[in-house]
């Protein structure tokens, strides 16, 4: 899907992985019956709310909170979430349905996950995020929660104060999905380079394949694409969606493929010269889209930190 349109793929990833899979793994049987049919048939588009204006990579620094109100048998949710994919569909109001993480206790990890639906009183669209560098076909929004009443019997996912594990497990799956998006972007760029290099003639040569500089861009891009593909497929093939603790390679695949996809897109622009710089030849859009993979779902720097921590824990144990 990212081969054709990374932005559309991003919206589908938020819907299918961050909402549907998350609820399928962590929700009760009754919640699955209540919320998943419309999400699966596409009549409702879902998303997940974790990042905030002042809490991105520092996710446990979130300020959005919920306080239980015994008189109303529900939780009162307040706060703001930022950079929410599918946060709006029309640009005029909120998206359809979301899983929202909020602080519900005094402990650093006392976080609970709630289902919030369009139309709930106090749940509004703060703003649609405009003028993005890339991923422009994927709507991004700020969402505001002002005294939103969350029914405790139907809209609390999992146990109160125990959603941090769910959040981290879902981040691992999200990162692998974003890495796969990088593979799609790189594959498309290699195909575009191949086509252009074979069609374009210069300096009385047969085509651009005759030039060593172009050969390097195409050959290294193909090798990088295949390396990333093998890494992603290998991790995906062994991943148990119900488990937690796959962070090293979830971070690793995304770290490698995010940087690799942007580099391959950059090479594609270079191969095409001026044509690569304009929208008609697609690769400039792919370069802009690829940049998000180095930020969203975990920055490159957060992957460096996480992976170094996990490798340190291995001590003297040899890699497989």
């Amino acid at each position: 899907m990212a081969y054709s349109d990374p932005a559309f793929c991003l919206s589908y990833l938020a819907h299918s992985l961050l909402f549907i899979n998350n609820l399928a793994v962590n929700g009760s049987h009754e919640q699955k019956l209540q919320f998943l049919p419309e999400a699966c048939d596409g009549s409702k588009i879902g998303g997940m709310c974790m990042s905030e204006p002042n809490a991105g990579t520092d996710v446990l620094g979130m300020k959005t909170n919920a306080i239980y109100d015994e008189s109303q048998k529900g939780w009162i949710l307040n706060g703001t979430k930022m950079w929410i994919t599918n946060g709006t569909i029309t640009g005029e109001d909120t998206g359809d349905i979301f899983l929202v993480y909020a602080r519900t206790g005094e402990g650093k990890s006392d976080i609970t996950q709630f289902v919030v639906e369009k139309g709930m009183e106090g749940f509004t669209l703060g703003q649609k995020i405009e003028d993005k560098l890339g991923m422009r076909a994927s709507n991004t929004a700020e969402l505001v929660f002002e005294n939103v009443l969350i029914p405790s019997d139907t809209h609390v996912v999992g146990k109160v104060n125990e959603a941090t594990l769910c959040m981290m497990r879902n981040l691992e799956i999200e990162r692998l999905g974003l890495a796969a998006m990088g593979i799609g972007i790189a594959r498309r760029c290699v195909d575009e380079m191949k086509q252009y290099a074979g069609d374009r003639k210069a300096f009385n040569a047969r085509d651009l394949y005759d030039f060593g500089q172009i050969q390097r861009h195409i050959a290294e891009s193909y090798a990088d694409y295949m390396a990333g593909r093998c890494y992603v497929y290998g991790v995906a093939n062994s991943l148990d969606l119900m488990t937690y603790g796959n962070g090293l390679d979830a971070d690793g695949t995304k770290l490698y493929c995010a940087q690799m996809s942007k580099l391959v897109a950059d090479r594609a622009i270079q191969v095409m010269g001026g044509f690569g710089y304009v929208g008609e030849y697609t690769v400039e859009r792919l370069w802009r889209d690829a940049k998000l993979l180095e930020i969203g779902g975990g920055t490159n720097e957060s992957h460096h930190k996480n992976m170094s921590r996990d490798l340190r824990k291995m001590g003297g144990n040899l890699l497989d």
Side-chain angles (χ1 to χ4, degrees):
M1 193 180 292
Y3 180 94
S4 297
D5 188 345
F8 181 78
C9 183
L10 183 68
S11 288
Y12 183 72
L13 180 150
H15 175 70
S16 61
L17 292 187
L18 304 188
F19 181 79
I20 291 178
N21 179 74
N22 193 337
L23 189 62
V25 171
N26 300 303
S28 67
H29 178 68
E30 292 73 20
Q31 287 171 330
K32 295 173 190 176
L33 292 177
Q34 181 177 356
F35 301 120
L36 288 184
E38 290 181 309
C40 290
D41 69 20
S43 56
K44 285 190 176 181
I45 304 300
M48 182 269 288
C49 300
M50 184 171 64
S51 294
E52 298 182 0
N54 293 306
T57 298
D58 179 21
V59 63
L60 293 182
M62 69 174 64
K63 301 300 182 184
T64 298
N65 67 89
I67 300 174
Y68 186 70
D69 187 329
E70 178 65 36
S71 65
Q72 300 187 74
K73 302 297 181 184
W75 294 81
I76 307 301
L77 179 66
N78 283 281
T80 302
K81 295 295 184 179
M82 192 68 168
W83 315 118
I84 307 306
T85 302
N86 300 335
T88 181
I89 305 301
T90 65
E92 302 295 328
D93 52 16
T94 72
D96 296 326
I97 188 167
F98 301 90
L99 290 173
V100 180
Y101 291 100
R103 186 163 299 287
T104 48
E106 296 298 324
K108 185 177 182 180
S109 299
D110 288 347
I111 293 172
T112 303
Q113 189 172 201
F114 302 95
V115 176
V116 178
E117 299 181 82
K118 180 179 181 179
M120 284 184 163
E121 186 175 354
F123 176 40
T124 58
L125 173 67
Q127 62 175 318
K128 179 184 177 185
I129 308 299
E130 304 282 5
D131 201 25
K132 297 185 296 182
L133 172 70
M135 299 292 185
R136 295 177 181 174
S138 175
N139 284 345
T140 311
E142 175 189 42
L143 298 177
V144 179
F145 309 88
E146 295 180 308
N147 296 320
V148 180
L149 176 62
I150 310 294
S152 60
D153 56 341
T154 57
H155 286 60
V156 178
V157 179
K159 295 181 180 180
V160 172
N161 290 336
E162 295 187 11
T164 300
L165 184 62
C166 304
M167 184 167 60
M168 296 306 174
R169 177 169 54 200
N170 209 62
L171 273 173
E172 293 176 357
I173 299 168
E174 178 187 8
R175 286 167 179 167
L176 185 61
L178 291 168
M181 284 183 59
I183 298 303
I185 291 172
R187 178 181 154 211
R188 175 66 179 275
C189 288
V190 172
D191 279 344
E192 295 291 339
M193 271 191 278
K194 287 167 59 259
Q195 183 68 43
Y196 186 87
D199 291 343
R200 180 66 186 265
K201 295 175 174 56
F203 299 105
N204 297 317
R206 180 174 48 180
D207 53 38
L208 296 189
Y209 276 109
D210 282 350
F211 298 98
Q213 301 98 322
I214 303 301
Q215 294 167 5
R216 177 183 176 184
H217 285 316
I218 295 175
E220 290 187 353
S221 294
Y222 175 77
D224 288 343
Y225 156 69
M226 287 300 294
R229 177 181 173 182
C230 290
Y231 192 7
V232 168
Y233 281 29
V235 174
N237 188 54
S238 61
L239 184 67
D240 183 348
L241 297 182
M242 302 297 290
T243 65
Y244 168 76
N246 307 290
L248 177 60
D249 286 313
D251 279 280
T253 52
K254 183 172 171 296
L255 175 66
Y256 179 80
C257 292
Q259 297 176 109
M260 178 273 292
S261 63
K262 193 183 73 170
L263 176 59
V264 171
D266 190 79
R267 290 179 184 140
I269 293 173
Q270 201 67 24
V271 166
M272 296 182 186
F275 289 110
Y277 197 71
V278 297
E280 180 182 356
Y281 281 75
T282 306
V283 292
E284 62 83 27
R285 171 173 62 84
L286 296 173
W287 183 89
R288 291 185 287 105
D289 289 346
K291 179 58 188 177
L292 180 72
L293 302 182
E294 297 186 323
I295 301 171
T299 62
N300 288 351
E301 294 76 17
S302 70
H303 301 322
H304 296 153
K305 176 179 70 69
N306 295 342
M307 295 174 69
S308 295
R309 177 200 62 211
D310 292 343
L311 290 166
R312 171 186 277 174
K313 289 179 181 178
M314 293 175 62
N317 295 331
L318 301 179
L319 298 175
D320 294 337

